[in-house]
Each structure stands twice: as C-alpha cells, then as structure tokens.
Amino acid sequence: MKQEVETIAVVGGGHAGVEAAYAAARMGANVVLITQKPETIGVMSCNPAIGGVGKGHLVREIDAMGGLMALCADKAAIHYRLLNRSKGPAVHGPRAQVDRELYRCAVQETLRSQQNISIIAGTVEDVLTVAGRVCGVKLEDRTEVRCNAVILTTGTFLNGVIHMGRETRSGGRIGDRASNRLSDRLKDAGTELGRLKTGTPPRIVSSSIDWASLQFQNSDPDPTMLSFQSKAPQNPILSCGITATNSAVHEIIASNLAFSAMHSGAITGKGPRYCPSVEDKISRFAEKSSHQIFLEPEGLNSPLVYPNGISTSLPLDIQREFVRAIEGLARAEIAQPGYAIEYDYVDPRSLDTGLQVTALPGLWLAGQINGTTGYEEAAAQGLAAAIDAVLVARGLDQFRFSRTSSYIGVLIDDLVTKGVSEPYRMFTSRAEYRLTLRPDNADQRLTPAAEVLGLVSKNRFSQFEEKLRLLNRAKDITDGETLSNGEVQKIGGPSSKSGKRRSVYSLLSSANIAHQSLKSIRPVLAEIETGIWNQLRVEALYSNYIDRQSSDILRLKRFEDLKVPKFFNFSEVAGLSHEITERLLRVQPESIGQASRIEGMTPVALNALIFAVRNANIPA
C-alpha cells in the first residue's frame, strides 16, 4: 500500500469520532482529533451498555476490522447478557453493561497508545475549501487546521436544543455547548438538513433505591465476550434490578402531558420509534398497564443508576413525582434529570457509499449527523468513513462494505439509498442474508480485508489465522469420524431410518448431542477446544441454508456489483418512469445493487437500467 502520510481531521470525540480517528491512524495517516473537551472523549452520553440485537453484530464487525469499541467494552464490562438466546445463533445479540468511567478511560488510553493521533481542544465553526474541495477546518478562535480530509462526527451537537418541560436551552448534551454555525455551512453547500430528537432518563442515586423489594436480572454465567480477543470478564460482575411502571405512574404522566416537550409541540423532530419516551409509551400503548424498567448500575464505584425504560422530557418536579410512584423508588433521589434533545441531521442520501458528501468532496459524515441512533451505529460509520477518507486521500481504489457480507454494509446502504424518516437503528431483520452474517463469524467475513487495509496488527492477524486453522482442522475431524446408528442412539442421538453411518459433522446439524458425549466414544474429538466446537456446531446447523443463501448471493452479485459510471445520465434511459428517474437522479446510485433498493424500483425499470449501464460500460 502507498505510504504517503496524509492528515485526516476528525471533528468530535464520541463513538463515531474515536473509531474514525483510531482507524485512520492504524492505516498510517496523521490524525487530528478536534473536540470541545478532550476529557469527555469516549463518554457514554446515554445508556451504559454496548451491543444488543443487531447492534451486537455491528460491534463484532468493528472488532473484526481492528476497532476499539468491543475491546474497551470488555475492559469495562460489569454485566453480560446474550439477547435472543432462545432463537437461532444468527440473531443472537451479545450485550454488555459497562462501567462508564472504565469505558471512557479505556477509550482514551487506547487512543494515547496509538501513534499518529494528536488532540486539539476547540470548537469547529466552518470547513475550508479550495476549488470546491474541503481542505481543512476553521476553529472558533480562528485557528485553521489544514488536512486531506475532514470527518464530521458531531452527534447531537449540530444546532442541538435541550428540552425539559417548557424550558429549552442550546446544547449538544447536558453541560456541553451546541455547534450551530456548521449547520449553516452544510445548508449553504446544498445538503438537505432535517430535525430529529432523542432523549435520556433521569439518573437515580443508588442508595435511595429500595433494592430489597425488587427482582434482579443476573449476568450470564457463561458470558459471551464482545471482542474476539477477550477471553473472560475483567471486572466484578453486578446484577441489575427490575421494576415497572404502574397505573399511578401512568396517571401522573397522562395528566401532565401538556408539560412534555415531546407532546406540547415544542419539538418538531421525530424520535426513535423503538426507544420511545415514557410519555410516548403510555400514549401509544394505553392498553398496557405497565412497562418494564431495568435499573442498571452506572459503574462499580458510581453512586448512580440508569433506569432503562423511562426516558422523559417532563419538568423535574413531575419526573420526581412519577419516579417515586414506581415500586422500589418511593424515596428515589434524582441526581440528573431526564431530558430530550433535538438536533440537525444531514439527509444521508447526500452521501456516497463511502459516507463522503457528494456536494462537498473531501468531507465525510459519520454517526447521528447521518440520522442514526446508538453508539454502535455511530462507531460503525466512523470506521467506514475513516477507511474511505484515507483511501481517497491516497488516490487508491475505494473499499466498500457490502450488505451481502456485513451489517455495516446493510447500515450504510440503507442510509444512502433510502434515507431516514426517524432515527435509524440496526435490527437483524434489515439484513437479507443474516444466516451468513452472524456474530460468531464476523472475523472470517471481514478480518482478511482489514489486514489488507492495514487495520489489524500482524499479531492479531496471526491469531485469526490460527483460529481458521483450528476450525478447518475441526471440520476435517468431524467430517472424517463416522458413527453407527447404535452409537448415535447410545449417546442420545436420533435414530436413522436408513441405518447408514453418519459423520459427526452431519450429526451436529441435526442433533443436540453434547461435545462430552461424543468425546466419550471418539476421543479424537477432544482435540477440538470448546470455542471452536461451538462455532463448528453453528456452521453445521446452518450449512444447508447457507449453501442456498450463497447461491442467492452469487446470483445477486452478477449485477449487484455492476458499477454505474460517474455522471451517468439516468434521464436518457428508455423505459423509466419520471418518478423513478427523479429518485435515481437524487440518490445517484454507484451500483446496480444500490439502484435495486431505491423505493419504487420495479423489475422492468431495473432491467432497463441494467441494459443501459452495461452498454455504457462497454468501451467505444
């Protein structure tokens, strides 16, 4: 890879910003990370948890690409849960509650240990351009930072407004200033901006909670680590309390909805449908008599608890009243009130599939500025934007995350093709090929590409190669070892009507036979360690489905990767309706695959487009 040293400016020290800075530096670029308060780099602004359904897939993929989120989360984890455990492994959601302070420290230490990253305390108020291309940023104190690429990761800071009851004030989060001038700059460049909102619950003093009256949710006894490199928890493990709203809580909230910023009309932005405020819950689901609340400790030494499930923008006195009507919280003390925050976002259809702003070359956007919600979605975008920014700065072929091989690809493709009407959250249902996009094989799908890009160390890649060697060896052993019908029945397996001998691998796909039982009659299976055995079982379980899905992917790829030439004139394609032509001109798809997912695209229109693009790609 070309070894010229580029300078990448990353604006913002949240989850998207730190992942972008870390990725660009690992690729050998010089990175300038600009943030208002360096001490808040890596802060978890909302819930103290990483991962979950869909989100856990993103965390594993970031880790497979050499990112920091999973490793830092494992260093700070105090509670592990594998969500969707009762369902198939493809939709399992690894999640960890983390100590906020330990996580912040782990992120900052990781950045300090990485060469080529410098940090500037300041507020960016403008981007600098030369001949229509971004070449740097200007700070509030008039300082100019020149660079080859700028990655904006402003989160909720872009023209952010905090709402609590009828009180409003400018801010990116409580205690931090908003960034307002950048919104005007992006508008002037021709990008379309909208408004979204999010919220957070009040923080409760732990000692004021009647823990003895509550049920508890314990951490998994066999925790699933977030990083492929982590082996076991590093901290004491805590439990979280479980309580719920009740009719008294609902009455208090319902009678005070006029004071809620989200219901009074003070907020125009749309909030996340799948993480509604407690006001929304009792309004939209009036038939429900209660809503569950998880009381999550914010850290081993923190006096605060995060009540997951009661995000609110009601005034403080009403928050205190309804919180104290909840079981176990009769004497609850609120250390920080809940609030809603409304902020500007850029229509992600203004971006290409590398997250570069098409109207402002040299500028990349990542995180909530693109209309997403969640730490994991933000971090994934930060990683992708950094990879693209470095490659473009070097004049190299761009790398693209595909939706057929990664959830990161699904995320980006959904954003730049479909746009958002509400904060985007990742779910496994968004991925057409989720049987092959599992948390357990994220490294097999992505680490080879990460190694080529310079994102993983030699030691990390050697560990990955050793895993592949052990997995292939285990596959050979289980394919080669066969069992008679009697042997299978002896260890509790199903009888075969044909009576033929069956390989251990085929049995893994159709029978829940314990590793220990199989080892008792085939000692060679003891060579396979537990972690490799568990993954082999998953691959065997899905083998037939994966073969069919792989065929579907190959058929799709026949035209999926067919590139649409730059400046292609969609208006000249015969057979397209005016509506589809307008959408193609707006999205400017880079490939047939992306074009196929544009809303309203019909098979007839797609065939016409394929014909026109294939002809355009044929040299004259």
Side-chain angles (χ1 to χ4, degrees):
M1 183 173 283
K2 193 176 177 183
Q3 292 300 311
E4 294 179 7
V5 179
E6 302 75 24
T7 298
I8 309 295
V10 178
V11 182
H15 301 281
V18 297
E19 213 66 69
Y22 190 49
R26 294 198 314 282
M27 292 177 72
N30 285 328
V31 176
V32 180
L33 176 59
I34 306 167
T35 181
Q36 289 183 10
K37 297 178 180 179
E39 65 272 18
T40 64
I41 289 172
V43 160
M44 306 177 82
S45 300
C46 194
N47 64 310
I50 298 289
V53 178
K55 291 171 177 285
H57 289 69
L58 290 174
V59 177
R60 280 289 182 90
E61 291 183 356
I62 293 165
D63 185 66
M65 297 293 291
L68 60 76
M69 175 171 270
L71 271 174
C72 291
D74 282 334
K75 288 178 181 177
I78 55 176
H79 183 106
Y80 284 96
R81 294 285 290 183
L82 184 64
L83 307 185
N84 271 355
R85 187 183 284 272
S86 63
K87 299 182 179 179
V91 295
H92 284 173
R95 182 182 187 268
Q97 288 174 214
V98 304
D99 182 306
R100 288 186 189 276
E101 183 62 14
L102 288 178
Y103 185 82
R104 182 184 69 85
C105 290
V107 169
Q108 293 186 13
E109 177 57 32
T110 302
L111 294 184
R112 279 195 298 269
S113 66
Q114 175 61 49
Q115 294 180 340
N116 307 333
I117 298 178
S118 58
I119 298 172
I120 294 177
T123 299
V124 172
E125 67 171 19
D126 202 359
V127 292
L128 306 173
T129 59
V130 171
R133 183 176 182 82
V134 172
C135 63
V137 295
K138 183 168 70 174
L139 307 188
E140 195 175 52
D141 64 4
R142 318 307 290 175
T143 298
E144 293 186 356
V145 178
R146 298 283 172 169
C147 57
N148 302 90
V150 174
I151 304 174
L152 283 185
T153 68
T154 51
T156 58
F157 281 67
L158 206 64
N159 208 17
V161 177
I162 292 172
H163 297 262
M164 192 189 307
R166 291 174 178 170
E167 296 179 19
T168 63
R169 61 178 180 271
S170 176
R173 62 176 166 233
I174 201 160
D176 289 312
R177 295 164 52 204
S179 178
N180 297 329
R181 293 188 182 181
L182 275 177
S183 287
D184 296 333
R185 183 69 170 95
L186 290 167
K187 283 179 187 175
D188 292 342
T191 58
E192 186 175 328
L193 271 63
R195 296 288 277 175
L196 292 175
K197 74 93 177 170
T198 188
T200 190
R203 307 302 197 270
I204 299 174
V205 177
S206 179
S207 60
S208 69
I209 297 173
D210 180 12
W211 293 103
S213 67
L214 301 176
Q215 291 182 305
F216 285 88
Q217 182 187 72
N218 295 324
S219 179
D220 287 341
D222 55 340
T224 300
M225 301 291 101
L226 295 183
S227 173
F228 287 101
Q229 298 180 82
S230 300
K231 304 302 180 186
Q234 300 184 33
N235 303 301
I237 296 298
L238 305 181
S239 298
C240 63
I242 302 175
T243 185
T245 62
N246 52 51
S247 58
V249 173
H250 293 194
E251 287 175 14
I252 293 168
I253 294 172
S255 63
N256 287 284
L257 284 178
F259 295 100
S260 167
M262 288 174 280
H263 285 259
S264 66
I267 291 178
T268 58
K270 193 162 185 181
R273 185 192 323 175
Y274 302 102
C275 188
S277 67
V278 68
E279 297 98 292
D280 282 343
K281 286 179 180 179
I282 68 159
S283 298
R284 287 165 45 191
F285 309 108
E287 73 283 359
K288 293 199 66 173
S289 59
S290 67
H291 298 279
Q292 197 168 54
I293 303 166
F294 290 94
L295 301 175
E296 302 174 347
E298 296 210 341
L300 296 171
N301 299 308
S302 173
L304 303 182
V305 166
Y306 181 93
N308 195 336
I310 54 169
S311 172
T312 182
S313 65
L314 285 163
L316 176 57
D317 58 335
I318 299 172
Q319 290 185 39
R320 188 177 292 115
E321 184 181 0
F322 85 68
V323 164
R324 289 180 174 175
I326 296 169
E327 183 181 358
L329 305 182
R331 294 187 300 276
E333 296 176 23
I334 294 178
Q336 176 185 301
Y339 61 91
I341 183 165
E342 192 176 21
Y343 56 94
D344 283 350
Y345 78 100
V346 173
D347 186 334
R349 291 174 295 184
S350 304
L351 312 176
D352 66 17
T353 52
L355 300 180
Q356 184 176 199
V357 180
T358 53
L360 269 180
L363 178 66
W364 281 257
L365 307 182
Q368 283 181 282
I369 192 173
N370 291 337
T372 62
T373 181
Y375 305 148
E376 304 81 1
E377 290 87 348
Q381 292 171 74
L383 170 73
I387 293 170
D388 196 59
V390 173
L391 294 177
V392 169
R394 290 177 176 169
L396 298 176
D397 290 340
Q398 291 165 276
F399 171 81
R400 290 292 186 260
F401 287 96
S402 167
R403 69 184 299 127
T404 62
S405 59
S406 68
Y407 273 81
I408 299 176
V410 172
L411 166 67
I412 293 173
D413 187 64
D414 281 352
L415 291 175
V416 304
T417 302
K418 302 174 183 177
V420 299
S421 57
E422 63 184 62
Y424 180 101
R425 178 178 180 177
M426 179 52 69
F427 292 104
T428 53
S429 58
R430 297 189 189 273
E432 302 93 324
Y433 304 108
R434 54 187 171 273
L435 295 186
T436 55
L437 308 183
R438 306 186 308 274
D440 64 277
N441 69 0
D443 55 346
Q444 292 164 248
R445 292 183 278 113
L446 296 174
T447 298
E451 193 270 339
V452 173
L453 291 165
L455 286 165
V456 294
S457 66
K458 289 182 179 179
N459 181 57
R460 171 73 187 274
F461 194 66
S462 294
Q463 292 176 21
F464 166 71
E465 289 183 311
E466 176 62 9
K467 174 188 171 179
L468 284 189
R469 187 190 70 78
L470 292 173
L471 198 55
N472 289 332
R473 169 66 177 152
K475 178 67 163 56
D476 290 341
I477 292 173
T478 53
D479 263 340
E481 291 294 325
T482 62
L483 276 67
S484 67
N485 205 30
E487 288 175 314
V488 172
Q489 290 179 289
K490 182 179 178 181
I491 56 175
S495 175
S496 170
K497 292 181 180 179
S498 68
K500 291 182 179 179
R501 298 181 69 87
R502 284 170 283 173
S503 72
V504 171
Y505 187 79
S506 67
L507 284 169
L508 291 180
S509 67
S510 60
N512 186 23
I513 303 175
H515 189 193
Q516 192 63 38
S517 298
L518 286 163
K519 285 192 294 184
S520 67
I521 58 172
R522 290 293 186 274
V524 68
L525 298 176
E527 294 180 18
I528 304 173
E529 61 182 58
T530 302
I532 296 295
W533 178 267
N534 290 339
Q535 182 162 358
L536 190 70
R537 180 187 290 278
V538 172
E539 293 193 356
L541 177 66
Y542 286 122
S543 58
N544 294 331
Y545 302 101
I546 289 172
D547 287 344
R548 289 199 294 270
Q549 200 165 87
S550 297
S551 297
D552 292 342
I553 292 171
L554 287 174
R555 281 196 297 272
L556 173 67
K557 277 188 170 292
R558 183 181 175 194
F559 292 121
E560 166 85 11
D561 295 332
L562 179 61
K563 299 296 182 186
V564 176
K566 284 190 176 181
F567 313 115
F568 183 79
N569 192 344
F570 295 100
S571 302
E572 294 183 354
V573 179
L576 297 184
S577 69
H578 179 68
E579 182 182 18
I580 289 177
T581 300
E582 275 192 346
R583 288 175 179 171
L584 286 165
L585 289 169
R586 178 186 177 90
V587 175
Q588 290 292 318
E590 298 178 17
S591 68
I592 290 297
Q594 188 184 357
S596 71
R597 290 181 287 277
I598 292 175
E599 187 178 359
M601 179 62 69
T602 65
V604 172
L606 189 62
N607 283 332
L609 182 61
I610 290 170
F611 180 78
V613 169
R614 290 181 73 185
N615 285 339
N617 281 321
I618 297 173

